[in-house]
Amino acid sequence: NKEESRYTEGQSAGRVYEFYGLKEIMAKLGHERLTMLKFDIEGFEWDLFENEILTLESALLPSVLVFELHTLGANRRFVAPKLVEGRDGRAVNELFVKLWHLGYRTVSKSVNGGDRFCADFVLIRN
């Protein structure tokens, strides 16, 4: 139901996409808990962290996070500059401090070979 979604519809190349929040997706799929959450969403990960993951109740937090993080200067062919505006090293540190306080520990980091402003991470929650 479009009215229930907290995200607006998106359009790209004549296609229409409807976006849902994490809790909405879990409800639609009948999931009460997530063991692992993997996402590669080209700059939209900042919104996912701020408005979804960092606001979840402790019992709903995934045990494992696997994601690609784009920062200021990311390749414009893949990431709209507006999505990473202000997302510099300080913003990354602030995000990881918040994740640390939620019990997450980084077990893997790999800088993207084609874009030094993008890295893949694996975090596990204690």
Side-chain angles (χ1 to χ4, degrees):
N1 182 329
K2 291 181 183 179
E3 290 78 32
E4 292 175 0
S5 176
R6 79 173 198 80
Y7 291 100
T8 59
E9 278 190 11
Q11 292 186 358
S12 174
R15 295 183 178 162
V16 176
Y17 301 94
E18 190 169 351
F19 299 91
Y20 295 95
L22 185 57
K23 286 183 180 178
E24 290 173 295
I25 293 169
M26 289 175 68
K28 286 179 179 287
L29 297 175
H31 295 300
E32 295 178 7
R33 174 172 169 5
L34 294 175
T35 302
M36 182 178 83
L37 179 62
K38 181 182 188 309
F39 48 98
D40 179 354
I41 51 178
E42 307 307 330
F44 288 97
E45 63 274 7
W46 289 96
D47 183 61
L48 180 65
F49 275 117
E50 292 170 354
N51 298 309
E52 302 279 346
I53 296 170
L54 296 175
T55 65
L56 285 173
E57 303 87 50
S58 182
L60 294 178
L61 288 168
S63 302
V64 179
L65 293 174
V66 180
F67 60 95
E68 188 175 67
L69 187 66
H70 299 85
T71 59
L72 186 64
N75 189 328
R76 292 171 178 254
R77 287 185 2 196
F78 304 106
V79 180
K82 183 174 181 163
L83 295 176
V84 291
E85 189 174 288
R87 307 305 188 173
D88 56 9
R90 177 182 221 137
V92 172
N93 287 340
E94 290 172 359
L95 172 62
F96 276 81
V97 166
K98 291 174 184 175
L99 291 167
W100 175 270
H101 287 297
L102 291 174
Y104 288 102
R105 303 298 180 260
T106 304
V107 295
S108 175
K109 174 190 173 189
S110 175
V111 176
N112 185 306
D115 185 353
R116 67 185 181 100
F117 298 101
C118 171
D120 295 306
F121 292 91
V122 177
L123 280 63
I124 295 178
R125 188 164 184 253
N126 296 343

